[in-house]
Amino acid sequence: MTEARPIVVGVDGSPESRYAIAWAAPEAVRGGYRLRLVHAVSARGQEDGVLAAAKEVACAAAPTVDVETALVTGGPASALLAEGQDAAYLVVGARGETGFAGLLLGSVALQLAQYAPGPVVVARPLEKRTGRLVVGVDASDEAATALRLAGAEADQRGADLVVLHATRDPISPRVRAAIDAAVARVQALAPDAHVEGRVVQTHPAEALIEASGDADLVVVGSRGVGGFRGMLLGSVAAAVLHHARSPVAVIRRRPES
């Protein structure tokens, strides 16, 4: 039975948006979601084949995907935020068609990561698939939500999941025990995944960016335990979004979760 909530993908004809579609289409099939491809224009009648081409990319990536398209009027970020209010995932490329060549992360991707209520995936091309997911954890509520989502993802894929905790402080037995307990909880909920814990003494952003070089997806909470109250996106999540070499999922805890 198809899940009511869709995976929403922002498309604009750029190579980056094709990466987003190629990530989202197999994900929709795995999770039983509808795939909704959304193209935002400033005025009606401007559609120029972007959606038809996007649908072709989706069907090539996942021939059995349940795909629909939508042409909406407005700015890309505001349109996608409206479309993605109850999305399972809101997916975009790192930079869109109007992005500047040297930018690592476009303004639309950054705004979605800051303001979307649910999971946002910023897609990038993978040189190779490793079957490994990485989730960054600390003691925050967002990290706990990210850990649950990463476990579900790894279980669906039958993938390896690295539960990564990084700190610049000396690593205490208490911290190691907490990560071991987190691994045990996730493994119990994700029996088809292989879950391992990793504790390293370095800056969290550096550890996650390095781990992204050998991962199919990096999952982070929107704000960690050290973040200032009221911040929409923490410094670790922002750094990983800008510099990761893999797709990144930014998780914000929904009020009901």
Side-chain angles (χ1 to χ4, degrees):
M1 181 175 174
T2 301
E3 168 65 41
R5 292 187 297 152
I7 292 179
V8 174
V9 186
V11 301
D12 62 5
S14 65
E16 285 79 7
S17 78
R18 290 194 288 274
Y19 302 146
I21 299 164
W23 185 91
E27 189 69 29
V29 172
R30 266 194 299 267
Y33 299 109
R34 290 179 294 117
L35 181 67
R36 184 170 173 82
L37 307 177
V38 178
H39 180 42
V41 295
S42 58
R44 288 290 179 182
Q46 287 187 338
E47 213 287 319
D48 53 3
V50 168
L51 287 171
K55 188 171 182 178
E56 289 182 4
V57 173
C59 293
T64 61
V65 68
D66 178 8
V67 60
E68 61 190 41
T69 60
L71 180 68
V72 297
T73 304
S78 58
L80 288 169
L81 285 170
E83 285 279 336
Q85 283 299 303
D86 197 36
Y89 290 100
L90 187 53
V91 187
V92 290
R95 283 190 303 116
E97 184 65 29
T98 58
F100 294 101
L103 284 177
L104 297 170
L105 188 70
S107 62
V108 172
L110 184 58
Q111 288 178 69
L112 297 184
Q114 288 175 319
Y115 295 106
V120 172
V121 174
V122 175
R124 287 184 171 91
L126 288 170
E127 293 183 4
K128 62 177 181 177
R129 294 192 179 273
T130 63
R132 180 178 295 108
L133 280 63
V134 176
V135 57
V137 297
D138 58 15
S140 65
D141 290 338
E142 283 77 7
T145 304
L147 185 59
R148 289 195 297 272
L149 183 142
E153 279 288 332
D155 195 53
Q156 282 184 359
R157 300 169 184 230
D160 295 337
L161 175 62
V162 176
V163 179
L164 177 60
H165 176 75
T167 176
R168 287 175 289 187
D169 299 326
I171 299 168
S172 68
R174 182 176 180 178
V175 167
R176 290 192 183 277
I179 298 305
D180 289 344
V183 167
R185 289 195 302 273
V186 174
Q187 187 68 82
L189 296 172
D192 290 332
H194 174 259
V195 187
E196 65 170 288
R198 188 180 300 171
V199 182
V200 295
Q201 189 174 6
T202 188
H203 191 282
E206 292 177 2
L208 288 164
I209 292 164
E210 181 178 354
S212 74
D214 196 26
D216 292 346
L217 180 70
V218 172
V219 184
V220 293
S222 60
R223 202 163 50 86
V225 73
F228 294 101
R229 186 173 297 277
M231 284 182 69
L232 296 170
L233 192 68
S235 60
V236 170
V240 174
L241 277 174
H242 277 279
H243 298 290
R245 287 171 280 173
S246 69
V248 176
V250 177
I251 310 304
R252 180 169 284 104
R253 185 168 62 105
R254 290 184 187 269
E256 68 270 18
S257 63

